[in-house]
């Protein structure tokens, strides 16, 4: 009994102890529930069940006992989950526990979802276990997981057209690729159900079709007479095959043939040079087909980029152009047209396809050295660099335009202009100074023009420490200026190069002076080659170019012009671009705009413009009421054909063969080479045959006369005349060509000379060139071995575009054989003193003595000379008439050369003058005609002053000397038997 009681007691104690242990365990909830970190779900609009991936399951590691909702001790499954909690505002979803023991749950929609309102939902979810007591203090929560739910669409909406009605207008007789476009939309949220997959024309038997994009076009040409307007019913289907809720009406109006366009426009417009301005659209008007036009804007563009450097400009040398524009002093041309005096550009490829618009090409392998002394620029004084450049996108290396660097020993760049990565950079290193402070050295400009493959004009005005850049007349500021120390003092000479930079071949390639001096005699090389085209490279020392000169150099000689009629000036707005190659006309009155268009003209101020095509384009935009563009006016395209100008023929004429005494060559004045030079320029043009019929009646016998062609003299400028020596070069020790420098300066001309001759340069009139050429003298102070000298004169216009004939002059030296003979010649009778008459030389050349004898004859002597001359003339005239036939026979025997005239008169004595010779260079029909005219008494042959003097010298001398044996003999009068 006692044993039972003790056993019961022991059991009760054990139960109490177990309960106490259970209560103690209830106070400890060691683990939190666990769920995935991210869930993705899909739900359909008409369903509330969400399909999750992965499934929603929460786990708890607390075991073996599980905390129930009461404090009663129960043996439960491991890891019971009591619920899930959703976090977020207005989340239309809820989470439900399906099995507490397994932790399985689901998410479902609270209400009906609408994909069109919101396609996706994102929120967070959290699980909690059942360990919570009455006060909820022992509940454990899991971490928060993110839930993304996508709402799937159902095809609940039908397509709807954007417009209630569609309208279009077409012109009869034309098939369109597209007349108009209809467009429907679908409110479904998914791509599948919101896309319109097909359009359909419901109206049967209409000549139209529609594609899947809603474009309607006609299947045949429409006729206004057959149908004025077509009404079509069009429907649409989405990709879920739902048809539009309402079909749409499409109205297509057919208009009779009327094309909005510019009417009366000639595509080819011929421009005759020298005729001033030419109206381009004199009979043109705009056809708008009665549309309600509110404003019109027309843009006229004249394309001239293919001509020269962007348009038609004068092709004088760049130096001459600077003078014409007002830069008259200090200019030095570094890329001149190759000539005998400026030959350093001979090796460069040129582009002479634009009427001698001199352009030089640099392909990355060519460069030239400018001879020493051509440029003497003092860096301390202001100076200007100007150049035309066309450059495309190049490599990343430096490309040198102009560079002045050390000639030997070092690689210092004193100043240079180069291109680098579409930047124009000018380097200027200062000379040594007392204080070696940093000074501006490099000026950088970032310009689109540098790399656009178009011609641009660049001018740099350098006045240290500032450099101003003008591109096509507009100013540009440098975006960066870097500084450097001045150069160290050095006696090294510099080399100026174009197209690359001259550097010592020492393995260094930099712009600093840190390269150590190399041994004397080191080889040099070119580096930093330029790729592109250059022209007109000029350095002007001592002065800066002003804006007026810069604009003059850049301005085109051709462009568009308009003279606004007063009655429409206020109704139309006209704007030009800077070079007048395009203009815009804008207004709201069609008639006023037509009048302005009819006054637009083309103008080319060049005397000899570049022939060829200038394309024209008219672009037009028209606006109507409540519409941006109701009329589509096609571009009108044509061209101005600048006709070939009547090219001038520059003719040089004068005395081409004469003799002078050796004393004149050796005198201080020398011998005038072109004493009677005449420069004439003529053009040949065609005229109506009827207008010239009377003038040509007398020329019917001459087969060379063309009735429809006339020649007329014109006046224009020359820019170069070059005198060159034919044969041996000039020996500077004893011969020279000279001209009065003061006379050149008065006419704004310049001269350069060499042992090959001399060149006179500058744009000036032919008359001024004549006067200067008359002053050119040849001197030779060592004439013992000289018998003759030959020279050639050539003049040109527009930098060699038009060139004269080669005018050749031969000068013979008369050597005195015996001093006694010369003394005897001085005491001859006074009547043979030189008397100059305008005459035709019988011997084929003129001997003109520029210096008359120093003996001044008395009045009586002059009377006697005149009388004797008249008597001689009468005798010659009689003999010519008697012996005309005999002279023709003698000419034939001499094979085309002029024969001696034999006098059959006992009263006259004819002797041969061995000192006076000639060479018949012009034995032609002209000489025969002159002799025939002499026989008729129309011309008289006089003895020139040189002939008279030489004839006296030859009396009593040798019958022939070594000069006379090689030439035909000159006539000399022995009039001792004449009575006075």
């Amino acid at each position: 009994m006692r044993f039972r009681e003790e056993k019961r007691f022991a059991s009760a104690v054990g139960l109490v102890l177990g309960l106490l242990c259970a209560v103690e365990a209830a106070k400890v909830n060691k683990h939190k529930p666990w769920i995935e970190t991210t869930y993705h779900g899909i739900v359909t609009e008409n369903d509330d069940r969400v399909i999750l991936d992965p499934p929603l399951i929460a786990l708890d590691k607390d075991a073996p006992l599980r905390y129930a909702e009461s404090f009663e001790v129960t043996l439960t499954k491991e890891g019971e989950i009591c619920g899930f909690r959703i976090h977020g505002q207005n989340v239309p979803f809820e989470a439900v526990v399906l099995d507490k023991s397994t932790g399985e749950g689901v998410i479902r929609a609270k209400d009906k979802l609408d994909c069109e309102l919101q396609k996706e939902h994102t929120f967070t979810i959290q699980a909690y276990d059942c360990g919570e007591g009455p006060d909820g203090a022992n509940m454990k929560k899991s971490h928060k997981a993110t839930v993304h739910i996508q709402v799937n669409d159902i095809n609940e909406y039908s397509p709807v057209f954007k417009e209630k009605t569609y309208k279009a207008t077409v012109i009869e007789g034309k098939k369109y690729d597209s007349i108009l476009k209809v467009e429907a939309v679908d409110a479904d949220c998914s791509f599948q159900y919101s896309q319109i997959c097909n359009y359909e024309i419901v109206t049967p038997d209409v000549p139209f079709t529609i594609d899947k994009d809603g474009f309607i076009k006609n299947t045949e040409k429409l006729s206004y007479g057959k149908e004025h307007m077509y009404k079509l019913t069009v429907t649409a289907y989405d990709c879920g095959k739902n048809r539009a809720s309402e079909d749409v009406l499409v109205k297509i109006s057919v208009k009779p043939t009327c094309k909005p366009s510019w009417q009366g426009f000639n595509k080819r417009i011929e421009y005759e040079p020298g005729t001033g301005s030419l109206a381009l659209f004199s009979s043109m008007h705009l056809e708008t087909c009665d549309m309600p036009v509110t404003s019109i804007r027309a843009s006229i563009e004249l394309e001239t980029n293919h001509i020269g450097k962007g348009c038609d400009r004068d092709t004088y040398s760049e130096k001459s152009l600077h003078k014409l524009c007002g830069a008259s002093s200090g200019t030095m041309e570094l890329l001149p047209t190759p000539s005998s005096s400026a030959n350093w550009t001979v090796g460069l490829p040129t582009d002479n396809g634009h009427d001698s618009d001199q352009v030089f090409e640099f392909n990355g392998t060519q460069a030239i050295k400018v001879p020493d002394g051509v440029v003497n620029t003092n860096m301390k004084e202001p100076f200007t660099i100007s150049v035309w450049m066309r450059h495309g996108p190049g490599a990343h290396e430096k490309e040198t335009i102009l560079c002045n660097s050390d000639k030997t020993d070092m690689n210092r760049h004193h100043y240079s202009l180069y291109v680098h990565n579409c930047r124009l950079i000018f380097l200027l290193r200062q000379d040594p100074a007392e204080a070696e402070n940093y000074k501006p050295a490099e000026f950088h400009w970032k310009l689109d023009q540098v790399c656009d493959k178009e011609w641009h004009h660049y001018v740099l005005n350098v006045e240290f420490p500032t450099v101003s850049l003008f591109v096509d007349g507009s100013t540009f500021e440098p975006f960066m200026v870097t500084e450097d120390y001045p150069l160290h003092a050095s006696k090294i000479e510099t080399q100026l190069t174009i197209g690359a930079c001259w550097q010592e071949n020492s393995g260094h390639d930099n712009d600093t002076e840190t390269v150590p001096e190399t041994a004397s005699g080191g080889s040099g090389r070119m580096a930093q080659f330029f790729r592109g085209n250059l022209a007109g490279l000029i350095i002007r020392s001592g002065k800066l170019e002003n804006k007026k000169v810069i604009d003059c150099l850049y301005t085109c000689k051709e462009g568009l012009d308009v003279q606004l009629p007063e009655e429409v000036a206020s109704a139309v707005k006209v704007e030009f671009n800077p070079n007048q190659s395009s203009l815009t006309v804008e207004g709201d009155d069609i008639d006023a705009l037509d009048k302005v268009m009819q006054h637009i003209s083309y103008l080319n101020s060049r005397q000899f413009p570049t022939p060829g095509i200038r394309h024209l384009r008219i672009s037009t935009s028209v606006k109507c009421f409540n519409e941006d563009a109701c009329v589509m006016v096609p571009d009108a395209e044509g061209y101005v054909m600048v006709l070939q100008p009547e090219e001038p023929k520059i003719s040089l004429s004068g005395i081409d063969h004469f003799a002078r005494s050796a004393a004149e060559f050796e005198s201080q004045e020398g011998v005038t080479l072109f004493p009677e030079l005449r420069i004439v320029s003529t053009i040949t043009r065609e005229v109506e045959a009827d207008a010239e019929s009377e003038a040509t009646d007398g020329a019917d016998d001459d087969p060379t006369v063309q009735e429809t062609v006339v020649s007329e003299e014109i006046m224009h400028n020359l820019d170069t005349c070059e005198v060159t020596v034919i044969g041996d070069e000039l020996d500077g020790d004893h011969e020279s060509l000279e001209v009065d420098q003061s006379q050149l300066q008065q006419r704004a001309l310049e001269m350069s000379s060499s042992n090959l001759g001399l060149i006179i340069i500058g744009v000036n009139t032919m008359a001024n060139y004549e006067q200067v050429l008359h002053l050119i003298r040849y001197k030779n102070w060592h004439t013992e071995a000289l018998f003759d000298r030959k020279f050639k004169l050539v003049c040109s216009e527009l930098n060699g575009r038009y060139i004269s004939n080669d005018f050749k002059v031969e000068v013979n030296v008369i050597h005195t054989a015996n001093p006694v003979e010369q003394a005897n010649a001085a005491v001859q009778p006074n009547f043979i003193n030189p008397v100059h008459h305008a005459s035709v030389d019988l011997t084929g050349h003129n001997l003109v003595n520029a210096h008359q004898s120093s003996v001044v004859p008395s009045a009586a002597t002059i009377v006697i000379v005149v009388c004797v001359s008249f008597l001689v003339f009468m005798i010659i005239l009689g003999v010519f008439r008697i012996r005309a036939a005999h002279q023709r026979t003698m000419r034939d025997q001499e094979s085309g050369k002029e024969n001696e005239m034999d006098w059959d008169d006992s009263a006259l004595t004819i002797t041969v003058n061995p000192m006076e010779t000639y060479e018949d260079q012009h034995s032609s029909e002209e000489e025969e005609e002159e002799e025939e005219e002499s026989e008729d008494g129309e011309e008289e042959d006089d003895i020139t002053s040189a002939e008279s003097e030489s004839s006296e010298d030859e009396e009593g001398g040798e019958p022939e000397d070594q000069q006379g044996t090689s030439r035909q003999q000159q006539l000399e009068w022995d009039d001792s038997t004449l009575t006075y």
Side-chain angles (χ1 to χ4, degrees):
M1 195 67 184
R2 185 178 180 182
F3 175 77
R4 286 180 182 174
E5 290 177 357
E6 288 178 355
K7 186 176 181 181
R8 288 177 181 175
F9 178 76
S11 298
V13 172
L15 180 60
V16 171
L17 291 175
L19 181 59
L20 291 175
C21 290
V23 172
E24 183 66 24
K27 295 180 180 180
V28 179
N29 189 3
K30 297 175 62 177
H31 299 284
K32 295 180 179 180
W34 177 89
I35 59 175
E36 298 284 350
T37 58
T38 305
Y39 295 90
H40 293 274
I42 299 174
V43 62
T44 306
E45 277 186 314
N46 59 356
D47 193 4
D48 63 346
R49 186 170 179 271
V50 178
I51 301 174
L52 284 179
D53 181 25
L56 182 59
I57 299 175
L59 303 177
D60 196 310
K61 293 184 179 180
D62 288 319
L65 297 177
R66 194 64 179 162
Y67 293 98
E69 295 179 351
S70 66
F71 285 93
E72 295 178 359
V73 178
T74 57
L75 297 177
T76 62
K77 294 182 180 179
E78 183 179 352
E80 286 188 352
I81 300 298
C82 281
F84 296 91
R85 182 172 297 170
I86 291 177
H87 301 277
Q89 293 183 351
N90 302 323
V91 178
F93 296 94
E94 61 181 1
V96 179
V97 177
L98 298 180
D99 188 339
K100 291 183 178 182
S101 61
T102 61
E104 182 180 358
V106 294
I107 297 176
R108 59 192 178 194
K110 295 178 182 179
D111 300 311
K112 183 180 179 182
L113 300 175
D114 191 347
C115 174
E116 285 71 33
L117 293 178
Q118 189 170 350
K119 292 183 180 181
E120 294 182 350
H121 297 269
T122 301
F123 53 88
T124 58
I125 192 171
Q126 195 174 28
Y128 58 91
D129 59 18
C130 297
E132 55 188 312
D135 57 357
N138 295 322
M139 179 187 67
K140 292 289 187 180
K141 298 179 181 179
S142 70
H143 62 269
K144 293 182 180 179
T146 303
V147 180
H148 301 281
I149 297 178
Q150 178 180 337
V151 181
N152 281 352
D153 186 32
I154 60 174
N155 193 9
E156 58 185 328
Y157 292 99
S158 298
V160 177
F161 285 94
K162 287 186 175 182
E163 304 289 341
K164 296 295 183 182
T165 305
Y166 289 88
K167 296 180 181 180
T169 301
V170 297
I171 304 298
E172 65 174 349
K174 180 180 179 182
K175 290 188 67 174
Y176 291 83
D177 293 330
S178 174
I179 296 175
L180 78 160
K181 180 183 180 181
V182 297
E183 187 174 1
V185 294
D186 194 302
D188 288 309
C189 68
S190 65
F191 180 82
Q192 177 183 3
Y193 299 134
S194 64
Q195 295 299 304
I196 307 301
C197 281
N198 189 29
Y199 292 89
E200 181 182 345
I201 297 176
V202 179
T203 306
D205 302 325
V206 289
F208 299 93
T209 184
I210 187 170
D211 64 14
K212 63 182 182 62
D213 296 320
F215 289 99
I216 298 176
K217 64 180 180 179
N218 55 324
T219 56
E220 62 184 45
K221 295 180 179 180
L222 305 178
S223 173
Y224 179 78
K226 182 179 179 180
E227 189 69 50
H228 291 3
M229 178 184 289
Y230 289 89
K231 296 181 179 180
L232 315 177
T233 301
V234 177
T235 190
Y237 296 88
D238 64 17
C239 294
K241 297 184 179 181
N242 274 1
R243 181 173 173 168
S245 56
E246 291 184 10
D247 298 338
V248 71
L249 178 64
V250 178
K251 297 179 180 179
I252 300 177
S253 300
V254 181
K255 292 291 184 181
T257 303
C258 177
K259 298 180 179 179
S261 63
W262 290 101
Q263 303 293 324
F265 173 54
N266 295 325
K267 290 188 176 182
R268 176 186 171 96
I269 305 167
E270 291 187 353
Y271 178 78
E272 184 176 349
T275 57
S277 61
L278 172 67
L280 297 175
F281 320 115
S282 57
S283 59
M284 190 173 70
H285 68 279
L286 180 62
E287 176 60 63
T288 59
C289 298
D290 298 327
M291 296 299 291
V293 174
T294 59
S295 67
I296 306 169
R297 179 183 176 88
S299 299
I300 301 92
E301 183 179 359
L302 179 72
E303 295 182 359
T304 58
N305 291 338
H306 62 289
I307 299 171
K309 306 185 201 76
C311 66
D312 212 359
R313 294 182 173 89
D314 281 330
T315 56
Y316 293 115
S317 68
E318 197 68 22
K319 190 171 186 178
S320 297
L321 289 174
H322 273 69
K323 286 188 176 181
L324 291 174
C325 289
S328 58
S329 63
T331 56
M332 290 152 284
E333 191 170 7
L334 303 187
L335 284 175
T337 301
S339 64
S340 58
S341 61
N343 59 358
W344 61 87
T345 58
V346 171
L348 285 177
T350 61
D351 180 7
N352 290 325
H354 303 298
D355 297 294
S356 297
D357 198 359
Q358 194 71 69
V359 173
F360 295 93
E361 179 182 353
F362 295 82
N363 61 7
T365 62
Q366 301 135 326
I368 57 173
K369 294 182 180 180
V370 179
D372 296 339
V374 173
V375 177
N376 295 314
T377 302
N378 186 352
M379 296 293 104
K380 297 180 180 180
E381 295 182 356
F383 66 96
T384 295
I385 299 176
S386 66
V387 64
W388 284 93
M389 180 177 71
R390 178 170 62 186
H391 180 262
H396 296 294
E397 297 84 9
K398 294 180 180 179
E399 298 181 48
T400 300
I401 301 171
L402 177 70
C403 180
N404 183 260
S405 59
D406 288 334
K407 183 178 290 188
T408 58
D409 300 332
M410 302 181 75
N411 282 348
R412 301 179 304 173
H413 295 185
H414 293 255
Y415 64 89
S416 66
L417 181 64
Y418 61 93
V419 173
H420 190 205
N421 290 334
C422 294
R423 297 179 182 180
L424 186 69
I425 302 172
F426 178 66
L427 169 70
L428 178 61
R429 300 292 300 279
Q430 288 298 299
D431 292 333
E434 295 181 359
E436 292 192 355
N437 298 326
Y438 272 105
K439 294 183 178 180
E442 272 192 339
F443 301 82
H444 297 245
W445 293 270
K446 183 181 287 186
L447 303 167
D448 294 336
Q449 293 90 330
V450 172
C451 293
D452 64 1
K453 297 184 180 180
E454 299 290 342
W455 279 107
H456 297 284
H457 185 235
Y458 301 83
V459 177
L460 287 109
N461 278 338
V462 182
E463 189 172 19
F464 191 81
T466 62
V467 178
S468 301
L469 174 67
F470 295 84
V471 181
D472 298 337
S474 300
T475 308
F476 290 85
E477 295 295 331
F479 82 94
M480 183 175 66
V481 178
T482 60
E483 297 182 340
D484 205 344
Y485 281 112
L487 295 171
H488 293 317
S490 172
K491 295 182 179 180
I492 300 174
E493 295 182 354
T494 60
Q495 176 65 61
L496 185 62
T497 55
I498 301 172
C501 203
W502 177 258
Q503 298 187 159
E504 185 71 18
N505 196 4
S506 58
H508 298 276
D509 186 8
N510 54 42
D511 295 345
T512 68
E513 55 178 331
T514 59
V515 179
E517 294 188 4
T518 59
S520 177
S523 61
R525 65 183 179 92
M526 292 288 187
Q528 302 172 6
F529 285 93
F530 179 77
R531 295 174 181 84
N533 296 96
L534 297 176
L537 181 55
I538 285 285
I539 289 184
R540 188 183 185 194
S541 301
K543 291 186 178 181
L544 302 179
E545 300 288 20
N546 57 46
K547 187 66 166 58
K548 183 178 179 181
V549 172
I550 294 172
D551 290 341
C552 174
L553 292 172
Y554 172 70
T555 302
C556 298
K557 292 291 185 179
E558 64 178 342
L560 300 174
D561 191 21
V562 61
Q563 299 295 329
L564 289 178
E566 293 183 3
E567 63 271 16
V568 298
S570 60
V572 177
K573 180 181 179 182
V574 179
E575 294 181 352
F576 283 89
N577 71 336
N579 61 2
Q580 291 191 306
S581 63
S582 67
L583 63 87
T584 59
V585 182
E586 189 172 2
D588 54 7
D589 188 334
I590 296 179
D591 293 336
L593 186 134
D594 285 345
K595 288 183 180 180
V596 172
M597 293 291 290
Q598 292 166 7
H599 283 78
I600 295 175
S601 60
Y602 168 79
L603 179 63
N604 195 318
S605 60
R606 291 189 66 188
Q607 187 176 14
F608 306 108
T610 304
I613 290 176
R614 277 77 163 162
H615 288 283
L616 272 175
R617 178 180 291 105
I618 305 175
S619 303
T620 312
S621 61
V622 180
K623 293 183 180 180
C624 301
F625 291 103
N626 302 323
E627 295 188 39
D628 291 336
C630 60
V631 177
M632 299 300 295
V633 179
D635 290 353
E637 296 186 359
Y639 59 91
V640 177
M641 171 58 75
V642 179
L643 301 179
Q644 180 73 38
E646 295 168 342
E647 297 190 1
K649 180 181 179 182
I650 305 173
S651 301
L652 308 180
S653 60
I655 301 173
D656 59 0
H657 192 174
F658 58 89
R660 294 287 184 272
S661 65
E664 291 188 50
F665 287 93
E666 296 176 357
S667 66
Q668 185 66 29
E669 293 80 10
V671 174
T672 303
L673 284 184
F674 312 107
E676 298 184 13
L677 178 70
R678 181 83 171 96
I679 304 177
V680 177
S681 180
T682 58
I683 60 172
T684 301
R685 59 184 180 87
E686 295 184 0
V687 297
E688 295 293 336
D690 294 338
E692 298 295 324
S693 59
E694 295 181 3
T696 57
D697 286 343
D700 291 339
D701 298 336
D702 190 350
T704 62
V705 177
Q706 300 182 19
E707 292 185 352
T708 59
V709 175
V710 297
S711 180
E712 61 183 29
E713 184 175 346
I714 63 169
M715 301 301 296
H716 58 92
N717 293 331
L718 301 177
D719 57 8
T720 302
C721 280
E722 183 174 5
V723 181
T724 55
V725 182
I726 300 177
D728 296 337
E729 299 180 357
L730 291 174
D731 189 340
D733 294 336
H734 60 263
E735 61 180 339
S736 66
L737 285 175
E738 298 179 0
V739 65
D740 190 348
Q741 291 289 344
S742 63
Q743 296 292 329
L744 289 174
Q745 293 176 359
Q746 291 178 9
R747 295 167 177 84
L749 297 174
E750 295 183 1
M751 184 199 72
S752 61
S753 59
S754 66
N755 57 355
L756 299 176
L758 60 84
I759 300 178
I760 299 175
I761 303 171
V763 180
N764 219 313
T765 63
M766 292 184 291
N768 280 337
Y769 265 95
E770 269 188 14
Q771 295 172 10
V772 170
L773 292 172
H774 289 166
L775 302 175
I776 295 179
R777 296 177 177 274
Y778 170 64
K779 296 171 63 176
N780 192 315
W781 48 93
H782 184 70
T783 59
E784 289 81 359
L786 181 67
F787 293 99
D788 57 46
R789 247 319 190 178
K790 296 180 181 179
F791 300 90
K792 180 179 71 173
L793 172 65
V794 178
C795 295
S796 66
E797 156 77 332
L798 292 171
N799 205 19
R801 181 177 175 184
Y802 302 119
I803 303 176
S804 72
N805 60 305
D806 292 352
F807 180 64
K808 297 179 181 179
V809 174
E810 179 178 346
V811 184
N812 295 114
V813 182
I814 302 175
H815 295 280
T816 303
N818 192 336
V820 178
E821 295 174 0
Q822 185 176 2
N824 292 337
V827 297
Q828 291 297 320
N830 288 337
F831 68 85
I832 64 170
N833 279 344
V835 178
H836 182 70
H837 298 277
S839 62
V840 176
D841 189 1
L842 293 175
T843 62
H845 69 279
N846 294 329
L847 300 176
V848 180
N849 189 352
H851 303 281
Q852 300 291 338
S853 173
S854 60
V855 178
V856 180
S858 64
T861 302
I862 295 175
V863 172
I864 293 173
V865 170
V866 172
C867 293
V868 172
S869 300
F870 179 77
L871 179 60
V872 171
F873 165 73
M874 295 301 293
I875 295 174
I876 293 173
L877 182 61
V879 173
F880 273 8
R881 295 196 176 195
I882 296 172
R883 308 228 2 126
H886 177 66
Q887 289 178 352
R888 293 191 190 97
T889 305
M890 293 298 293
R891 275 197 303 272
D892 295 337
Q893 294 175 356
E894 289 294 326
S895 300
K897 295 184 178 181
E898 203 174 358
N899 64 312
E900 296 178 314
M901 287 180 287
D902 299 330
W903 300 90
D904 187 12
D905 196 313
S906 58
L908 294 176
T909 302
I910 299 175
T911 62
V912 175
N913 182 0
M915 295 301 293
E916 290 295 320
T917 62
Y918 89 108
E919 197 173 320
D920 187 5
Q921 299 177 347
H922 306 286
S923 57
S924 62
E925 297 178 358
E926 295 179 359
E927 295 177 350
E928 295 177 5
E929 291 173 1
E930 289 178 359
E931 291 183 1
E932 291 174 2
E933 291 175 353
S934 299
E935 294 175 24
D936 296 336
E938 294 177 1
E939 293 185 16
E940 61 178 307
D941 301 300
D942 296 339
I943 304 173
T944 63
S945 58
E947 291 171 347
S948 300
E949 292 178 355
S950 59
S951 65
E952 293 296 319
D953 292 340
E954 287 301 316
E955 287 186 0
E958 297 180 1
E960 291 183 359
D961 63 3
Q962 57 184 352
Q963 294 185 38
T965 57
S966 63
R967 308 177 187 273
Q968 292 189 3
Q969 298 173 335
Q970 180 84 351
L971 300 181
E972 183 178 18
W973 300 98
D974 184 1
D975 46 5
S976 59
T977 61
L978 296 178
T979 58
Y980 308 106

